[in-house]
C-alpha cells in the first residue's frame, strides 16, 4: 500500500501497535497527578497492545478526560496537545516527523510504523489562567425561608469569592455544610450539588447551592435487629445515646463504634429513614451480626531461668447475654530452667462482667490453682479473688477488691501452711496513646502503683502491707531529628517495692520481694538478685526492692528490630529502699514484628555475677519487656 508517497510492505506494518506515553510536567505536581490518573493512554499502555485504530480511539478519549482534569483544578481555558511519533526499534531508524492526535489520517500513518517499533505518544497540557470563584448563592428549597447561616455554618461552608475554582473544594463545601446542619439536629437537611456558570470574560465561576434545613429533630425509638444471644437491655444500657436527645450523626457513630468495641459482634450498623415518626422524632434502626461465641488459643514462652511454659485457653463469650466472658486456661510451667526444680502448673478460670454497676466499670473474678517448683521455695496454692476495675478517663484506671489464698510452701526442707487474706488496691496511668499493651510504645509515660494490705491467719496472725510502684517512659529520637517516627526509641523503667508491718521471716515466702528475671534484672535468674541462704542458690527474699532498666530500640527494615539494654537492681531485708548489693546485667535482643505484636528474643549476661549465679540468660516472648 502507499502511505504519504512511501511504499511499506503490509507484512512490515506494526499491528497491534506497542506504544509509550509521556506526560510533560506542567509545574503543578497535584495537577500532574490528576492528569496522570485521568489518562487511559498511561494506565493501559502496559496491557496487551492494540491496533492503530484502537490506539487512536484511546487518544481521542483522552482529550475529554484530560480537559476534565484541567477543569477540576479551575483551568477552564486550558488545552491539551497529544502527538504521536515513531520511537524506532531494532529493525531500523524511526520514521521522521510526528502527527497530531486529532489528525484524521493518524490510523493510516501508524500502520506505516514498521513491526518492532514503538509509537511515542506525548501529552502536553496548557493550563492557562486558573479561574476563581465569583458569586456564591445559597438558594432555599421550594417553600423554605431564605437561607441564613450562623457562624459555625459559615465556617463549615468555607466557600468565598476569589478562591480557586477547584471542583473538589466546590463539592466539598456543600458536603461540609450539610454535615454541619445535621450536627445541629437538622436530620433531613440537604445541600444539592452546585450549579455553575462560567464567566470567561472575568475568569470566574459563579456557583449556586440549594439548601434545605428541615426541622430540628430529636432521636426517637431504637430498634435492635439481629440479636440472638445478647439481651437488648444490655445494648440499651451500653449505648451512649438515648431517645429524646438531639439528633447528631457524630454521636450516633461514636455510639456504634462503642458497641462494636465490645467484641461481641462481627458487624454493627445503624440507619434511619427519610421520614420522621408521627411525634417528629427520628427512629434509629440498629442491625447486629453476632460474632463467634467460643474460641481456643495457645500460649507459650521460654527463658533459661524459668524454662518453658505452654498451654491452652478456651473462651466463652457472652456467657449470660450481657457480654460476660469466661476464660479457662491450663498451663504447664517449669519445663527446664535454672530457677526451677521441676514441673509445675497454673490452672485458672477468669470471669469478666463488663459495665458492672455503671459504664467503664468491670467486675473480674478468678479461681486459680498453682504449683511452682522454684529453687527459692516449692508452692502449691489455691486462690480466689474478686475485684472491680474502673476506668476513670482515657489515661487513668483504678482497681480494688479482695483475695484469699490457701497455700503450702516448702523452703529449706521446712513445710508451712498459710491462709492469706488481702485487699489489693492499684492505680495506673498510660499516656503513651497505645491501646494494645503488646504494641510497642514510642513516646509518653506509664505509671503504676499498688498497695496490698494482707493478713496471714495461720499459727498466729501477722499483718503486712506490700507497696509497689513502677514508672516507664519512652522517647522517640525523631524529636531530635535523628530518625523517622517510631524507628529509634529510648525506653526507661524504674520499679520500687516495700513491705511494711512484718519482718522478712514473718511474711510467707511467696509474699516477699524478689528481683532477677525479665521483669526486673535480666542476666540473673528469676529471684536470683538479693539475699540467699548461705552456701546455696536459694533466695530468701526481702522487704525492700528497687530496679531500673534502660533500652535502645532500633527498627530495621519493615519487620525486624534490634535492642540493647542494661538493667540493675537490689533486694534487702531492710525496709529502706536502695540498700543491699546492686546487681547489674546487660545484653541485646532481636525483634520480629507481627500483626499482633513483636516476637522478642533477648540474651543477657550478669556484670557482677554472685556465687552460684547463672552465666547468661535467654528470654523469648511476645511484646516488649516493658
Amino acid at each position: 500500500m502507499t502511505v504519504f508517497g512511501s511504499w511499506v510492505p503490509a507484512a512490515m506494518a506494526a499491528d497491534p501497535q506497542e506504544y509509550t506515553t509521556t506526560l510533560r510536567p506542567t509545574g503543578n505536581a497535584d495537577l500532574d497527578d490528576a492528569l496522570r490518573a485521568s489518562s487511559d493512554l498511561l494506565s493501559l499502555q502496559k496491557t496487551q497492545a492494540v491496533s492503530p485504530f484502537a490506539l487512536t480511539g484511546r487518544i481521542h478519549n483522552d482529550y475529554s478526560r484530560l480537559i476534565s482534569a484541567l477543569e477540576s483544578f479551575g483551568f477552564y481555558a486550558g488545552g491539551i496537545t497529544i502527538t504521536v511519533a515513531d520511537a524506532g526499534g531494532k529493525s531500523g531508524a524511526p520514521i521522521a516527523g510526528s502527527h497530531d492526535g486529532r489528525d484524521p489520517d493518524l490510523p493510516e500513518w501508524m500502520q506505516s510504523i514498521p513491526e518492532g517499533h514503538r509509537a511515542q505518544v506525548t501529552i502536553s497540557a496548557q493550563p492557562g489562567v486558573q479561574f476563581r470563584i465569583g458569586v456564591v448563592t445559597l438558594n432555599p428549597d421550594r417553600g423554605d425561608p431564605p437561607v441564613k447561616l450562623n457562624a459555625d455554618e459559615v465556617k463549615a461552608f468555607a466557600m468565598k469569592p476569589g478562591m480557586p475554582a477547584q471542583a473538589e473544594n466546590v463539592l466539598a463545601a456543600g458536603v461540609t455544610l450539610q454535615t454541619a446542619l445535621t450536627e445541629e439536629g437538622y436530620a433531613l437537611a440537604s445541600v444539592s450539588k452546585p450549579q455553575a456558570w462560567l464567566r470567561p470574560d472575568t475568569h470566574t465561576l459563579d456557583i449556586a447551592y440549594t439548601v434545605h434545613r428541615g426541622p430540628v429533630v430529636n432521636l426517637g425509638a431504637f430498634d435492635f435487629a439481629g440479636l440472638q444471644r445478647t439481651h437488648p437491655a444490655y445494648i440499651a444500657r451500653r449505648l451512649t445515646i438515648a431517645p429524646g436527645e438531639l439528633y447528631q450523626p457524630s454521636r450516633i457513630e461514636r455510639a456504634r463504634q462503642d458497641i462494636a468495641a465490645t467484641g461481641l459482634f462481627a458487624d454493627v450498623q445503624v440507619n434511619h429513614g427519610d421520614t420522621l415518626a408521627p411525634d417528629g422524632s427520628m427512629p434509629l434502626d440498629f442491625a447486629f451480626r453476632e460474632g463467634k461465641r467460643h474460641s481456643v488459643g495457645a500460649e507459650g514462652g521460654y527463658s533459661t531461668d524459668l524454662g518453658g511454659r505452654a498451654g491452652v485457653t478456651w473462651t466463652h463469650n457472652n456467657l449470660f447475654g450481657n457480654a460476660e466472658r469466661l476464660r479457662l486456661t491450663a498451663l504447664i510451667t517449669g519445663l527446664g530452667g535454672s530457677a526451677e526444680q521441676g514441673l509445675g502448673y497454673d490452672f485458672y478460670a477468669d470471669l469478666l462482667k463488663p459495665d458492672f454497676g455503671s459504664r467503664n466499670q468491670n467486675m473480674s473474678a478468678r479461681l486459680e490453682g498453682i504449683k511452682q517448683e522454684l529453687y527459692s521455695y516449692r508452692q502449691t496454692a489455691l486462690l480466689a479473688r474478686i475485684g472491680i476495675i474502673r476506668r476513670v478517663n482515657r489515661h487513668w484506671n483504678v482497681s480494688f477488691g479482695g483475695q484469699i489464698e490457701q497455700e503450702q510452701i516448702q523452703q529449706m526442707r521446712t513445710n508451712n501452711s498459710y491462709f492469706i487474706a488481702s485487699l489489693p488496691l492499684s492505680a495506673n496511668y498510660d499516656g503513651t496513646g497505645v491501646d494494645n499493651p503488646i504494641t510497642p510504645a514510642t513516646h509518653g509515660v506509664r505509671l503504676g502503683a499498688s498497695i496490698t494490705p494482707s493478713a496471714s491467719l495461720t499459727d498466729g496472725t501477722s499483718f503486712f502491707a506490700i507497696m509497689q510502684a513502677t514508672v516507664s517512659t519512652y522517647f522517640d529520637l525523631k524529636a531530635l531529628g535523628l530518625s523517622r517516627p517510631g524507628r529509634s526509641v529510648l525506653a526507661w523503667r524504674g520499679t520500687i517495692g516495700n513491705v511494711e508491718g512484718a519482718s522478712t521471716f514473718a511474711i510467707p515466702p511467696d509474699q516477699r520481694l524478689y528481683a532477677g528475671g525479665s521483669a526486673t534484672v535480666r542476666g540473673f535468674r528469676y529471684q536470683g538478685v538479693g539475699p540467699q541462704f548461705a552456701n546455696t542458690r536459694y533466695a530468701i527474699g526481702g522487704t525492700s526492692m528497687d530496679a531500673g532498666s534502660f533500652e535502645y530500640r532500633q527498627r530495621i527494615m519493615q519487620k525486624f528490630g534490634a535492642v540493647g539494654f542494661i538493667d540493675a537492681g537490689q533486694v534487702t531485708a531492710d525496709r529502706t529502699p536502695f540498700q543491699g548489693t546492686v546487681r547489674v546485667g546487660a545484653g541485646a535482643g532481636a525483634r520480629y514484628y507481627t500483626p499482633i505484636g513483636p516476637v522478642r528474643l533477648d540474651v543477657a549476661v550478669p556484670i557482677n555475677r554472685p556465687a552460684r549465679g547463672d552465666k547468661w540468660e535467654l528470654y523469648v516472648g511476645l511484646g516488649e519487656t516493658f
Side-chain angles (χ1 to χ4, degrees):
M1 61 181 174
T2 302
V3 181
F4 300 108
S6 300
W7 172 261
V8 180
M12 291 292 292
D15 190 355
Q17 178 63 62
E18 294 186 356
Y19 72 96
T20 301
T21 305
T22 300
L23 174 65
R24 289 181 176 171
T26 63
N28 183 326
D30 292 336
L31 177 59
D32 289 343
D33 289 342
L35 292 168
R36 193 173 290 108
S38 300
S39 172
D40 278 347
L41 288 167
L42 283 166
S43 62
L44 299 177
Q45 68 182 357
K46 292 183 179 180
T47 63
Q48 185 176 0
V50 295
S51 69
F53 287 94
L55 179 55
T56 301
R58 286 185 187 176
I59 292 171
H60 289 170
N61 288 338
D62 255 22
Y63 280 105
S64 59
R65 297 173 66 87
L66 295 169
I67 286 293
S68 295
L70 285 177
E71 291 178 348
S72 70
F73 276 75
F75 297 106
Y76 290 94
I80 297 294
T81 302
I82 302 177
T83 59
V84 184
D86 179 8
K90 296 181 179 179
S91 59
I95 300 172
S98 62
H99 276 67
D100 186 82
R102 291 190 173 93
D103 190 330
D105 295 325
L106 180 61
E108 287 77 10
W109 179 83
M110 280 196 290
Q111 284 186 314
S112 70
I113 297 177
E115 187 176 0
H117 285 211
R118 281 183 182 273
Q120 173 61 56
V121 181
T122 302
I123 301 172
S124 300
Q126 302 82 39
V129 177
Q130 188 177 40
F131 280 52
R132 299 278 171 172
I133 298 296
V135 177
V136 180
T137 305
L138 297 177
N139 296 319
D141 199 9
R142 183 177 300 176
D144 287 354
V147 179
K148 294 182 179 180
L149 303 184
N150 61 36
D152 291 337
E153 294 164 354
V154 170
K155 183 178 180 181
F157 184 51
M159 182 54 58
K160 299 178 181 178
M163 297 174 61
Q166 294 182 248
E168 181 180 7
N169 294 337
V170 172
L171 294 173
V175 172
T176 56
L177 177 57
Q178 181 169 322
T179 300
L181 292 172
T182 55
E183 283 297 314
E184 293 174 346
Y186 298 101
L188 302 180
S190 64
V191 179
S192 68
K193 289 186 178 181
Q195 294 179 297
W197 293 270
L198 201 63
R199 310 298 185 193
D201 295 341
T202 58
H203 296 133
T204 57
L205 186 73
D206 295 343
I207 52 177
Y209 302 82
T210 299
V211 179
H212 171 68
R213 283 183 183 270
V216 174
V217 171
N218 290 331
L219 294 175
F222 296 168
D223 179 70
F224 302 136
L227 296 179
Q228 298 176 0
R229 297 180 297 270
T230 307
H231 297 316
Y234 168 74
I235 301 297
R237 291 194 307 269
R238 175 77 191 189
L239 279 172
T240 56
I241 55 176
E245 296 179 348
L246 182 68
Y247 171 92
Q248 289 183 290
S250 62
R251 293 192 63 231
I252 296 171
E253 173 59 18
R254 285 197 297 270
R256 187 198 69 81
Q257 292 179 4
D258 181 74
I259 292 294
T262 62
L264 296 176
F265 304 103
D267 187 41
V268 180
Q269 298 293 330
V270 58
N271 298 288
H272 61 75
D274 296 328
T275 57
L276 301 179
D279 63 356
S281 65
M282 176 60 76
L284 294 183
D285 297 322
F286 287 84
F288 302 91
R289 183 161 59 89
E290 295 189 346
K292 293 181 178 180
R293 200 172 188 183
H294 303 127
S295 62
V296 177
E299 182 178 333
Y302 176 79
S303 63
T304 49
D305 56 352
L306 289 176
R309 56 189 284 123
V312 295
T313 296
W314 179 84
T315 302
H316 186 124
N317 293 305
N318 208 11
L319 182 62
F320 303 120
N322 298 296
E324 303 89 350
R325 185 188 69 201
L326 174 65
R327 178 169 291 168
L328 305 178
T329 301
L331 295 170
I332 300 298
T333 62
L335 298 170
S338 60
E340 299 273 2
Q341 298 188 68
L343 291 177
Y345 59 76
D346 189 1
F347 301 154
Y348 55 89
D350 281 329
L351 176 65
L352 177 69
K353 169 68 174 175
D355 301 324
F356 181 75
S358 66
R359 278 184 55 87
N360 297 322
Q361 182 169 282
N362 301 332
M363 185 274 287
S364 66
R366 169 176 285 199
L367 182 65
E368 184 171 14
I370 303 172
K371 180 181 179 182
Q372 298 186 90
E373 299 282 340
L374 301 170
Y375 269 103
S376 302
Y377 53 81
R378 298 186 178 190
Q379 176 195 33
T380 302
L382 179 66
L383 63 87
R385 67 169 176 254
I386 188 168
I388 301 296
I389 306 165
R390 181 170 181 80
R391 184 181 180 186
V392 179
N393 55 42
R394 62 188 298 260
H395 295 301
W396 283 98
N397 68 74
V398 297
S399 65
F400 55 92
Q403 176 175 302
I404 56 174
E405 180 176 359
Q406 175 66 57
E407 62 182 2
Q408 192 168 39
I409 291 184
Q410 181 189 84
Q411 187 176 52
M412 294 299 289
R413 300 186 180 89
T414 300
N415 289 303
N416 289 292
S417 294
Y418 300 95
F419 183 82
I420 303 168
S422 56
L423 299 171
L425 172 66
S426 67
N428 295 279
Y429 170 86
D430 192 334
T432 63
V434 176
D435 293 331
N436 186 345
I438 297 179
T439 303
T442 60
H443 64 277
V445 176
R446 287 180 175 142
L447 300 170
S450 66
I451 180 169
T452 307
S454 303
S456 179
L457 305 176
T458 305
D459 296 330
T461 301
S462 63
F463 295 94
F464 55 94
I466 305 171
M467 298 174 288
Q468 285 189 291
T470 299
V471 58
S472 58
T473 184
Y474 311 87
F475 181 77
D476 194 337
L477 292 182
K478 174 192 176 294
L480 301 178
L482 300 178
S483 72
R484 288 180 291 158
R487 304 294 293 184
S488 303
V489 177
L490 303 179
W492 293 267
R493 176 183 63 187
T495 301
I496 188 170
N498 202 41
V499 182
E500 291 290 342
S503 62
T504 298
F505 288 99
I507 303 169
D510 64 315
Q511 303 293 305
R512 301 170 193 166
L513 300 180
Y514 300 87
S518 62
T520 50
V521 185
R522 285 163 288 186
F524 296 81
R525 67 175 177 269
Y526 180 67
Q527 300 181 338
V529 172
Q532 296 182 347
F533 290 100
N535 302 317
T536 73
R537 62 190 303 175
Y538 302 145
I540 300 173
T543 55
S544 183
M545 181 273 291
D546 55 86
S549 300
F550 168 77
E551 287 191 355
Y552 171 71
R553 302 172 180 174
Q554 178 61 53
R555 193 84 175 243
I556 301 172
M557 297 186 292
Q558 186 66 26
K559 292 186 175 295
F560 296 93
V563 173
F565 58 85
I566 184 167
D567 300 340
Q570 56 196 335
V571 176
T572 178
D574 296 332
R575 293 193 183 91
T576 305
F578 308 107
Q579 303 292 320
T581 302
V582 177
R583 298 296 180 183
V584 181
R591 303 290 184 267
Y592 178 74
Y593 295 93
T594 71
I596 61 173
V599 177
R600 178 182 77 253
L601 187 150
D602 288 337
V603 178
V605 297
I607 302 300
N608 53 344
R609 182 168 64 98
R612 297 179 176 83
D614 294 348
K615 294 181 179 180
W616 64 284
E617 303 289 353
L618 180 143
Y619 310 93
V620 179
L622 182 64
E624 293 289 0
T625 308
F626 62 93

